[in-house]
Amino acid sequence: MSPPVLDRPADLRARVRAWRAAGESVALVPTMGDLHEGHLTLVDAARERAQHVVASVFVNPLQFGPGEDYQDYPRRLEDDAARLGERGADLVFAPTVESLYPHGTEAAVRVHVPAFEDILCGAARPGHFTGVATVVAKLFNIAEPDIAVFGQKDYQQLLLIRRLVSDLDFPIDVVGMPTVRESDGVAMSSRNGYLDADQRRAAPALYAALRAVAGRLGRGERDFGRLERDACVELEGAGMQPEYVAIRMAEDLARPPADAALTDLRILAAARLGRARLIDNIAASAEAV
Ligand code: PAF
């Protein structure tokens, strides 16, 4: 059975405050809907850690740039609510754009997290991370959760949210859960639905390229620029247009020193494949081939 779906911030706040007044803990799982197993494992993780789970479903216009897929982004609230209910979510928060941005999206107050805005996905999608930080800060203020759960698939977003929480003193424990993959290694993503059959067959190349970089790092190679360039060539060979392949410090995405320990490194990539912009990342010390 589907859990109650609330669309007014005041209603969600009242419900959560009643739980908290009874001494019960609350976890929030923010999503944009079109849920797949990757999202649902976030709900599982939330249930293990708190007495109540709120999942939000909101396609946030602030985090889409001009010409991106805001209009096309799949909206399937009824299905999503049913799946969330099956996995034990207590409440779905699905606000309208007007209820979250009552003064309009252009005039909305924005939250900037400068450390991540101009690098990697931040550089490729101007305004994107400001839009994410803004909506997540709003969701945190409305839902007042003890815990918030996000996927490591969006690794840069996860670090950005940790920084948001630390710099704005939100009393929230941010939990990052491992990426859920299809059997051929492709990271689950709502945007995989944009791929046609040929593109879907090519898609595992992204994860394969990351693992190849991890393998070479594991064997002691430390010419990061060369590893990144070679991975881009592999992606082009698979029919993708790589935006970047980057070896960075896992903690803050800084460029690593040549003697960085393998365990401190994260390998991240973004590539276009047809209409889809695919992103993925792995720890350098994991899954090496
Ligand atoms: O990861 C997402 O789905 C979105 O960026 C988020 C965190 C729900 C904010 O809109």
Side-chain angles (χ1 to χ4, degrees):
M1 207 179 71
S2 294
V5 178
L6 305 180
D7 62 0
R8 287 168 21 120
D11 292 343
L12 176 64
R13 180 174 283 136
R15 197 69 78 96
V16 169
R17 285 199 173 166
W19 286 330
R20 294 178 66 90
E24 293 162 1
S25 57
V26 179
L28 175 70
V29 181
T31 82
M32 295 206 301
D34 192 28
L35 303 179
H36 49 68
E37 189 56 28
H39 296 109
L40 298 172
T41 61
L42 305 182
V43 176
D44 296 342
R47 280 190 58 206
E48 282 164 20
R49 290 165 173 80
Q51 283 152 302
H52 297 281
V53 176
V54 177
S56 62
V57 175
F58 178 64
V59 185
N60 172 35
L62 244 57
Q63 68 188 77
F64 290 79
E68 291 189 350
D69 54 344
Y70 174 64
Q71 299 298 344
D72 298 342
Y73 203 87
R75 288 156 172 89
R76 318 181 201 285
L77 182 57
E78 221 173 291
D79 287 356
D80 288 342
R83 303 188 75 189
L84 288 165
E86 280 162 23
R87 293 300 261 263
D90 297 280
L91 213 55
V92 177
F93 180 51
T96 59
V97 172
E98 293 70 29
S99 69
L100 272 203
Y101 301 115
H103 305 290
T105 50
E106 288 307 312
V109 169
R110 280 162 163 76
V111 179
H112 291 284
V113 186
F116 302 103
E117 278 173 11
D118 300 326
I119 57 169
L120 307 177
C121 283
R125 302 183 66 191
H128 169 67
F129 282 138
T130 297
V132 171
T134 301
V135 79
V136 170
K138 288 177 68 70
L139 293 169
F140 284 176
N141 279 326
I142 297 165
E144 298 177 335
D146 301 284
I147 292 164
V149 188
F150 296 87
Q152 290 176 3
K153 151 93 172 18
D154 295 299
Y155 189 78
Q156 297 166 63
Q157 170 174 285
L158 178 63
L159 293 190
L160 168 112
I161 288 161
R162 289 194 195 285
R163 184 68 64 89
L164 171 81
V165 161
S166 117
D167 273 11
L168 294 187
D169 304 297
F170 282 106
I172 297 173
D173 184 14
V174 174
V175 176
M177 294 302 294
T179 302
V180 179
R181 299 183 180 280
E182 305 284 359
S183 55
D184 60 1
V186 171
M188 288 192 185
S189 164
S190 303
R191 291 187 167 105
N192 293 345
Y194 297 155
L195 301 172
D196 68 22
D198 286 341
Q199 291 160 354
R200 180 62 189 79
R201 272 191 288 278
L206 189 58
Y207 181 48
L210 293 174
R211 293 182 74 207
V213 172
R216 290 173 65 180
L217 286 168
R219 289 190 289 278
E221 283 193 51
R222 281 297 181 275
D223 183 342
F224 300 131
R226 180 172 176 179
L227 291 168
E228 291 167 356
R229 283 191 300 278
D230 287 354
C232 285
V233 170
E234 270 180 50
L235 295 178
E236 281 161 1
M240 298 190 190
Q241 289 93 51
E243 245 169 36
Y244 63 80
V245 176
I247 301 164
R248 294 293 173 101
M249 296 302 283
E251 190 189 29
D252 59 4
L253 303 181
R255 288 182 189 280
D259 61 353
L262 199 60
T263 46
D264 290 339
L265 298 176
R266 196 95 193 168
I267 312 160
L268 307 101
R272 295 199 177 266
L273 182 57
R275 273 181 70 209
R277 179 179 184 275
L278 304 180
I279 59 171
D280 203 348
N281 69 87
I282 59 173
S285 53
E287 312 172 79
V289 287

